[in-house]
């Protein structure tokens, strides 16, 4: 079902013209209310009247995470404090948290874009939906929560923690949909096994997964173990929170709510705009935000954009899977390595659990990469020959995918720490030196 076909199925011309008008208003707002942007624009000799169409966006300055930190806490706020009704903080995966603030209208846009996402996953008023993102300063919990209420389904604010009780609720309340991190979805599946619950015992049908990068192979794993369809849900607190983009039934790219969040892909080194289809850094401009609007915010997430009508009927541009964040990318002996590449490889092999850790060290000025991966219970044995053969097979596959050799360390089942929020897959000891 399409929640708002007026906005999700516009022609390209209509969308561009709406975006251009909104951009002009936004630039006037930040020019007048945010000294940071006024100064930047004056330095570039750009004024609100120079921004008339959406193509004019390339004249505007970028915003970085560092700009948010430098203006901590409220320096980039465009609305007066009396208009602000909520504050969140980014989860601070990398560095200090940053503060974001919302007006009442911002919150209504947020619950609108979340409702569009849930409708695209096939959630209706008849569903009972568990929000298992953390509630609190993190945008995941409350962001998804108000979307479910706006759509009219029944929301169960489970948050994380207390997983056995949560699973009993999933069974007893006939919960049909869940929003959580892919890491937590796996943890649910493992806990079900421990409790002796099978996917036939529960009615779960739809998963909305996001807040961290995940691969196609991880999707298959979770779908199979929980007996559901898993859809991507993307967002970041600086721009809004979950609901910036969402997958439809086609599961082929995530539709961007581009009437509110205008996406661009740039080359992160030269900052030049890249054409659709090219991989680069994703940049967003918050076209309608009032509390803390941002011009050309550099997400550091790497992906590409696809234009054109989707088989689902929507016309909003789609983004491909996030390869990783530029700050997740490891450079090992000069070669770029993403944890998601390792994830893809181990999930293709039945011998391994989807639990892994990349450990990077520098020994005698040379980078070393160790990949720790859990062996599945039924493949784990005392037979050294078998274990060595398994290790060699994984070492060879990793070498062909990563183009560098990794030292594989086979781990016992359940020995790598589980996460209920965002999973941790990298320990880079080089930073300590
Ligand atoms: P932090 O930057 O502290 O992690 P957020 O909680 O706002 O703060 O996280 C936003 C980031 O999470 C995004 O920039 C992106 O890297 C990642 N993310 C969110 N949703 C997804 C998704 N569906 N796929 C991949 N990465 C995602
Ligand atoms: K995240
Ligand atoms: Zn679609």
């Amino acid at each position: 079902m399409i929640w708002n076909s007026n906005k999700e199925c516009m022609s390209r011309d209509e969308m561009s013209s709406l975006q251009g008008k909104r951009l002009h208003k936004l630039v006037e707002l930040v020019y007048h209310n945010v000294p940071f942007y006024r100064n930047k624009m004056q330095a570039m000799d750009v004024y609100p009247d120079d921004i008339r169409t959406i193509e004019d966006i390339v004249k505007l300055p970028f915003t970085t995470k560092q700009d948010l930190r430098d203006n901590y806490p409220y320096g980039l706020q465009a609305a007066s404090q009396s208009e602000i009704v909520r504050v969140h903080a980014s989860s601070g995966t990398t560095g200090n948290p940053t503060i974001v603030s919302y007006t009442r209208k911002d919150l209504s846009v947020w619950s609108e874009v979340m409702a569009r996402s849930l409708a695209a996953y096939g959630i209706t008023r008849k569903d009972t939906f568990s929000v298992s993102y953390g509630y609190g300063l993190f945008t995941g919990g409350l962001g998804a929560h108000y979307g479910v209420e706006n759509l009219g389904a029944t929301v169960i604010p489970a948050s994380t923690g207390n997983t056995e009780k949560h699973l009993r609720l999933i069974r007893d309340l006939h919960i049909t949909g869940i929003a959580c991190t892919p890491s937590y979805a796996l943890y649910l599946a493992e806990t079900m096994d421990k409790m002796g619950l099978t996917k036939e015992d529960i009615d779960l049908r739809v998963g909305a997964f996001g807040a961290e990068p995940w691969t196609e192979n991880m999707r298959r794993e979770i779908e199979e173990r929980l007996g559901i369809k898993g859809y991507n849900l993307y967002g970041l607190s600086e721009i809004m929170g979950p609901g910036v983009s969402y997958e439809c039934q086609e599961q082929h790219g995530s539709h961007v709510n581009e009437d509110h969040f205008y996406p661009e892909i740039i080359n992160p080194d030269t900052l030049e705009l890249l054409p659709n289809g090219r991989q680069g850094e994703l940049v967003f401009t918050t076209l309608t935000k009032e509390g803390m609007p941002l011009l050309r915010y550099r997400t550091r997430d790497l992906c590409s954009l696809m234009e054109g009508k989707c088989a689902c009927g929507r016309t909003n541009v789609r983004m491909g899977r996030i390869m990783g964040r530029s700050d997740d990318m490891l450079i090992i002996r000069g070669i770029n390595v993403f944890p998601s590449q390792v994830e893809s490889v181990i999930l293709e092999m039945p011998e391994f659990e989807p639990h892994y850790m990349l450990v990077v060290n520098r020994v005698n000025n040379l980078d070393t990469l160790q990949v720790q991966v859990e062996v599945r219970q039924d493949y784990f044995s005392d037979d050294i020959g078998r274990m060595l053969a398994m290790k060699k097979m994984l070492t060879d596959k990793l070498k062909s995918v990563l183009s560098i050799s990794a030292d594989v360390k086979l781990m016992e089942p359940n020995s790598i720490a589980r996460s209920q929020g965002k999973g941790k897959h990298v320990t880079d000891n080089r930073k300590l030196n």
Side-chain angles (χ1 to χ4, degrees), residues 19-72:
Q19 289 170 330
K21 283 190 199 115
R22 289 182 167 178
L23 181 66
H24 176 71
K25 268 181 74 178
L26 168 73
V27 170
E28 285 209 309
L29 175 75
V30 298
Y31 189 85
H32 290 112
N33 292 7
V34 186
F36 168 83
Y37 281 125
R38 182 164 57 245
N39 295 339
K40 274 207 164 189
M41 286 176 62
Q42 284 172 349
M44 295 166 82
D45 202 23
V46 178
Y47 302 91
D49 278 346
D50 298 328
I51 309 299
R52 290 287 166 191
T53 69
I54 193 65
E55 284 78 27
D56 291 328
I57 198 165
V58 294
K59 300 175 189 162
L60 292 168
F62 289 101
T63 311
T64 64
K65 184 108 178 167
Q66 190 58 42
D67 293 328
L68 267 76
R69 294 204 177 110
D70 293 346
N71 290 281
Y72 175 89

Side-chain angles (χ1 to χ4, degrees), residues 127-139:
D127 282 290
T128 300
F129 195 95
S130 164
V131 175
S132 311
Y133 284 120
Y135 280 65
L137 285 172
F138 175 51
T139 50

